[in-house]
Each structure stands twice: as C-alpha cells, then as structure tokens.
Amino acid sequence: MKIFLSHNEGIHNKDPAPHWLSQGISRVWTWKPCFIHPIIFLAMGDTESIIPAYDGEQHVIVAAQHIVKALAARKNLSNEMRKILADLDTHLSTMTKLTESEARWTSEVEDLLRCAQKKIINWQSNKSMIWDSGPQGVAEYLQEVDEVRRLTESLGSLLSSTSGKEKELLDLAHSVLQMAMARLEEELIHILARNHLSFEQICGTPAYSGVDEELAVSTEDDSVEEKSPRVSSGTESEESIVDLVRPDVISDIKSIARIMFASSYSQEFCEAFVSFWKDALDEFLVILGVDKLSIEDVMNMEWGRLYRRIRRWCRASKVIIRFFLASQKRLFDQVLGELGSPSLVCFIEASKVSMLRLLNFGEAVAIGPHLPERLSCFIDMYEVLASLLQDIDALFNEGDGCFIRNEFHELVTKLGNSVRATFAEFGNRVASDTSVTPFPKGGIHPLTKYVMNYINLLAEHGPTLNLLLERYGEDSDPVADADIFCPMADHLRSVTSMLETNLDRKSNLYRDGSLKHFFMMNNIHYMVQKVNDSELRGYYGDEWIRRHTGKFQQHATNYERATWSSVLALLRFDGKKGKAEVRCIKGFTVAFEEVYKYQTGWFVNDPRLREDLQISISQNVIHAYRTFIGLSTSINDKYIKYTTTELENYILDLFEGFPRSLR
Amino acid sequence: MPATDNQGSFLNRISIRRNQVVSMDGGHEQELEDLDLFQKHVADRFSDLFSQPPQQPSPDSSAESPAPDALLSISWLRKLLDAFLCCEAEFKAVLVMGRDPTQFSKPPLDRLIPDLLDRSVKALDICNAITHGVELVRNWQKLAQIAVFALQQQPIGEGQVRRAKKALNTMLTSMTLDDKESGHGKSTERTWSFGRRGGGAASASVNKDRTAGGHFRAFSLSFAKSWSAKQQIQAMSSNLVAPRVGEPTGLALPVYIMSTVLVFVMWALVAAVPCQERTGLATHFPVPRQSGWAQAVLGLQEKIGEEWKKKEKKGIAGVLDEMQRMEKAGLWLVEFAEAFQFPMESSKADEVAAQVAELADVCRRMEEGLVPLQLQVREVFHRIVRSRAEVLDVLDQVGKLTSPVPY
C-alpha cells in the first residue's frame, strides 16, 4: 500500500514537468523508485481475474457493473454467490478508479519522455562530445538516459495489456533510448580514443621496460632507476601491467557499460569496445615492426632481412603477451567483470587476430629450411615462446581461447623440433663436408673455425638445448669416458669427433706426410683453445682437454719427426771424415733451404704455438748443427754457409705463411 | 554419408592396406591397385559433395529454409574440408609410405615434387587468409544478431528499427568495403591512432565524423597489400598439367589428382569466404573431362563458378550460402527500415517476421558452424605443413644418398 500511496503522492506533488525536472536530479531520483504503473500494482496482488480498464473499455466496465448490480438484486441467490458478486462489484469499481489514475500516469510518462527526448536530441545536435562538457553534463545525461530506460522498462512490462496510447509511448521510449545508446557508443569510442596511452607513453612506463629488455638497454639510466622500487614490491605479474587508458576515465567507461548493459545494448557496447582494442593491438604490432607477412614472403626472404624480423618478432611476442595483453585483460575485467558479461569472450575476440599473426610468423619460420645458420634464431624463438607459455595459459584458458593456447603450445613443439632438426643438420654438414684439394698452408680449416665458433654460440643456450636434445638423443650411447654427462655435452662431443674424423680425411689429401701432421696439429690446437677459452669448457671437461692437448702435441712431434729427422740425420756424427763431412754439411744446407722454402709458406695462426714449435725445432737443429761443426775436423768456414745465429733466425721465419727462399 | 563415417571406413582401409604393402613387398601391381583405389575414393568423396540436395530455387520466399548442407553452405564447406583431409591422407600413403626415396629424384617426380611443395606453401597462406575471413564473417554475424535481437521484440517500433538499421548498415558497409576495396577502406574509418598521443587532433576528428553513423569494423588485410588470393589461385593452377594419356605415369597421376583437389578446395574457399583481393578470380581451371575422378569436381566447379559470376555481377560479398542469405535479408530489412512508420501495418509484420526469422536462422547456423569451420581450416593448415615436412624428409634422404650437402 505504501508504494501505491507514494505513487499518488508523486503525482499530487507534481509541478509542471519542465520546471519540475529542471529543479534538480535528486528529486527525480527519490521519486523514481515509486514510479510503478497502477496495473503492475494490482498484478502484485491476487487479482488474476482483473481485466485492465482503458478508455475504450470504460463502457464495458460500466455495463458489467450494471449487470452485477442487476444480478445482486435477484432474490434466489446463495450467500456464496452474493459474496462473489459483491467482490466483483468492488473490483469493478477499483478498475474505474484505476482508469483515471492510469490516464494521469500515461500523461505523466509522456511528459517525462518528451522532456528526455528533447534533451537527448539537444545533445545529438550539439557538435561537442558530452564527456568533454564536464562531470555535470555527464551526470545529467546519464540520469536522463537512465530515466528513459526505466520508463521503457515500466511500459514494456505492460506489453500484453497496453492501450494504443501506451504502445505509442513505449515506441517513443525505445526510440529515445536507441538514440541515446547510439550516442553513448560514440562517446565510448571518443573517450577511448582520447584517453588511451600512446605507444611512447607506454614505453615510458617502468612496467614496459621491465618486459622489453631491448628498450631497457637503450634507456638504461632512467629505466633502472624507475624500476627498482617496483622490483622490490609486488609479484612479477603485477609488474608488467599498466593502465592502457588513463585511470580516471575507467569509471566513465564503466558508467557507459553499466547503462548500456542495463538497457540491453550490451552487444553494441562490446562490439565497439572490442573493435577499439582489436585495432589498438593491431597497431601496436605494426609499431613493434611485426608486418603482415605471408608464409611465402617469409620463405623467400633473404636471410639478413628475415633475421631482423625474427628479432622483432621475439621482442614483440614478449611485449604483446606479457605486457600488453596482460594489461588489456585487466582493463576488460575492470570494465566488464562486474557486469556478468563475458569479459573473457570479449578479450579473446579482441586479441585473436593479432595472436594469429604472431603465430603464423612463427609457423612460417618453423617450416622453413633447417639451415644451421638459423639454429640460434630457432633457439631464440623457442626460448621466448616457451617462457611465455605460462602467460598464454593464464590469458587463454577458456572457450575460444583454448584454440589460441593450443596453437602456441604446438608452435613451441614445432620450434623445438626445428632446433633438433637443425642441430642434426649441422652435424650432417660437419660429417659430410668434403674437399678435393688440400687446404693451403696447413692452417686452420674454415670448417674447424665454423664448427668451433658455432658451438661456442650454442653454449649460451645450454639449458634449452639440454632440454631439447635430451628427448632427441635418448637412445644414443653415453660417452664412456666422459667426466661430464648431459645431452648437450654428449652432442657437442659427438660434433667435434665428427669434425676430427673429417679433418683426418682432409689431412690425407696432403702428399707431404709432415704437412698432414702439421695440419692436424693446427686444427686440434684450435679446437682445444676454443674449448678452453669459453663456456664450452664446462661441457667438454678437463679430461677432453687433456686428451686433445696430447693429440695435438703428438701431431707436433710427428711433424718434427717427419720433417726434421731426415734433415738431422745428415748431421749425425758417426766417424765421418774429410769429404764425407763436407758432403754432410752441404747436404744439410740444401735440405734446410728446402724446408725453409716450403715451410715459411706454412702457417700457424697462434703465435704461442708457432713459437713453441720454432723453439723445439731450433733446439734440435741448432744443437745438432753446433755439435756437428764442433766435432768435425775438416770443415772450415768455406763450407759453413750459415752460422748458428743465422739458422736460429731463419727458423723464426717458418710458419708465417709467406714462402721465402734462401737461394 | 556423414563425413565421420566416411573418414572411419577410409582409415580402416588405409591401415589394412598398409599392412599389405609391408607383407607383399610393395610390388608393381600393388602400386597400380593403390592408385585405382585412390582415384576411386576421390571420385566417391566428390560425388557425395556434388549430390547434396540442391538448393531450393526460392528467390523471394525466404521463409523456406534451404537444406542444412546446401552447396557452399558452412556445413558443405566443412564436408569439403573433411573430404580434402581424407584424400590427402590417402595420397600421402600412396606417395610416401614404403616408397623408395630415389624415385623422388627421377622423372616424373623430380619435376612434380617442387611444384607440389610450392603449391602447398601457397595453400597455407590461403588457409590463413580464410581464417581471417571467417573471423570477419563472425563479426558480421554479431551485427546481424543485434538486428535480430531488436526486431524480435514486440511490437516493433521506431527504436528497434533504427537499432537494427544501424547494425545492418555497419554490416553491409563492411561487406561492400571488403568486396570492392578488399579492405583498403580501413584507414578511412579509424579516426585515432595508437602511435600518437591521446587527445589532440586525433580526437577532434572523432567529433566531426560521428554523424557518419558509428564505427565500422572494416576488413583488415591479412597480408601485405600486394598479396592477392586471386593470383595465388592462378599461380597454383597454372602449372597443373595432366599426365599424357597412354604414357606410363606412375606417381605423376596421384600427384596431379591431389594437386587438382588442393587447388579446387582452396579456390572454393576463396570464392566462399571473404578473402584479400579476389577480383577477377578465375571461374574454372583445367580438369580433364575424360577421367572418372574428375567428373564430380568438374560439376562442382561449374556450379561454384556460376555462383561466383553472379557475385561479380551483382557485387555481393561472397558465395557462402549463409552470407548470401544474410546479405539479402539484411538489404531487405534496411529497405524496410528506411520506409518504416509506426505503427507497422499487420500485413507488413508477417513479411518482416519472415525476414527476421531468416536472419536468425543464418545467425544460428553461423554460430554453430563458423568456429568449427575455422578450426578445421587450421587443421588443414597443420596437415599441409606435416605432409610437406614428410616429403622434404624423403627428399633429404635422397639428397644424402646422391650428393653431400656443401656447407
């Protein structure tokens, strides 16, 4: 009853509408909850049988009342019947009264609607945006729209029983509401367009530089300073979230969402909101340099260009997934979370196309040829995505998002396979590299340099490769004497042993036996040195280094023996006298000149190795030479072409890579 | 026959035959038999697709709903992709399984395999463009749903009509943009940029343009501007040459058949679903008339080609059955909305209700079918990737047998 009274009160207190509405919103608010149509009020009771009374039906009611009265006047009625007729009479009179209040109600609704329509149309013709007009205007507009919404609801709930007049009013209400909704949609886009953070602004946030290392490197000074307080507080996920729009407009966006949802315009809100962020993400990708490339483009791309795109892709994936999407998801939850709307569905819709773009570039690279030079890129891509899987699982864990999530998981597997296949291909190349001519100067073969530098780079990715190669090489025999065992070490050792085998094959191309050893010494020394001076040491271990040091030393010894033993044999003092002595010293001089002529053209790159070798040669040669001269009886200066000092100096010319001649 | 049955029986056949191949040492007769079976299965599958109940020739009485798997409907496309996946699996069995890898380096395969690989890369791009296109259709579906939601309210008034009109206009504009300009319209619609700072000039233009009737979702390009679905299809079909009759063809025939099937499926997808730059898409490509397996493909090609010609002439967005219906109902309702006056005559009400029901039906089918279609396109994508990798593996083995790779 209270409700009914207050409704009447509302009507009695009513001032002329325009004046009354302009008096202030507070009044409208207090009045509104009581604004219930009389019919609804009746429907709240147990009056199912009540037929609503309207203008045209007035006569019917009056006629019915007459009939009831006539019936009640009959004498042969049971008490029960009488009671029923009495009740009916009361109801009929109520209905007559209602019809009057009904008419008042209708005209009041009409006034309100017309007034709201005028205001809303006013805004419509106004060039400037409502949300630019300040909080007062916004609040008024929202009140007005809410008013229309409530009226629409009230009128709508009478659907089955409304008169022509009320139908017209309902139509007007819907029409005004639609106008307002269309306007709110525009306002929403305007607010978003005006208040979203630009790329530069986003890059300036500490959360961003936390994710984007490349940026952190370039602007090290400021970002580190800003970052430090953040690092100490909060978890990792909080760190990489930023407000994509200015925080103060969130409540504006929410107020638009709330009223559009309440008015059953949620589809339009979501459409506009999703579409905005879809475009934003698209543009963000463009700014980060992820172009729209077809797989064919990627397949045909020259490696240098592709390499740069892979770098950009790695960076963009990290920034987009860990930072942008995480932030976007929070925004969607803030705006749509409490509306019982599928915030997640909208989020996935907004991000799907861009995610597919990231995925497809990854796919394109993964299906490309498994060229060894791409290995580190494959590993980079694998590492980036593998590290993002947790974020992806959290972002896309339901509905349509599962598709995205599964695709990413699959891509990680594919990239892992590419890494393995490429590593295997690398091994193949090492094993199958063939030469037809001996490598000049006996120096370090390009294959050795290539392999050692290559595996040196791989050492950085040790943990990843260990993980990937483990699955791959499960059935391979562990190296029996290895002091370190892990899949990576196993694979690296097998690569270098393939290299050794290949080098051995290459060394057989030399006709000169000592050059063969010289070549092996050079190359194995290079391998040992590379292992020793890098992280590779951890994978090869001291035992390997010791064994291979022994190997190259053995080759050095073998070289010396092969070259010099025949030369020094000429100086063996075994009781020769006179002419025999002269022949010996002459023979030695010729042999030395011969060695000098060739071996000055041989090359040892490493100065220490060169020096060690020269010293060793020098010791043997000079010692034998001096002894021979000292012991000889018939050799005078005429036969001694070179002094020991001269010989010593000539030996220092060996292995410089510039053939010289003493004659 | 439902696609799943098809697949089941086919898989059984494959596994039985695979065992046979192993036990019988893969003789020449076995090979011929495999080939015959492959041809027969291709013929069967495409006959199934061809003999779908014909579309009801009902130009205006759209209340009559066409069969659920009418030619070029979403469910028909899904069957087409099923058929493709089955043919492809069988083809791979014929081509790769138990095969001596050196055959790949001898004629005719040495010449055909690179073409096959090239076509598969192009097909991958088309798959991606189609995924993108289906996403766009889903967006149109959402807009159509707004219209359905508005117009299903009773009584229909000015507000509902305007609401529906707004949504439908956005949908139809996006359809035309896609069709005529293949998405180049995008930049004309967006009045803000993420690159620029918020506010300022960018937002000012939002004000001015807001009378344009809201915010369209224009078609964004899948690839660089120069990429064209039409050219990809052209390139895929240009080197399709049937092995000469009477010549001992060996594996040339299955490679040719599978390539034709691939080109046909990709072509049908491009015609049906919005796709970057399709203007001038060929309406046919060479298919040998005399071969048994090709009859159904030819028949389908002719029908789809006709639909495409109609599309080009009338300027509709695509030949996907549901999309054509959506566009038609959408256009009708927009026209109705232009002339609408409250209250609606009751004679008109029935017509409107019929169109709304039609639109609702289309939306329902899209709701049910588009996501699975998208997943299936992705499956085709992954399948092509896998098969390509398998063929490359064989080539790799051949390479190792013949010449070592220079580094």
Side-chain angles (χ1 to χ4, degrees), chain A residues 166-179:
Chain A
E166 289 189 343
K167 274 185 181 163
E168 250 173 61
L169 282 182
L170 179 61
D171 179 49
L172 177 64
H174 273 301
S175 175
V176 174
L177 192 63
Q178 192 276 336
M179 215 185 284

Side-chain angles (χ1 to χ4, degrees), chain A residues 499-518:
Chain A
L499 174 63
E500 275 177 67
T501 314
N502 194 329
L503 289 172
D504 204 47
R505 207 166 56 227
K506 290 187 196 310
S507 74
N508 285 328
L509 293 168
Y510 295 110
R511 268 177 302 176
D512 181 345
S514 57
L515 184 52
K516 177 182 156 153
H517 289 295
F518 181 83

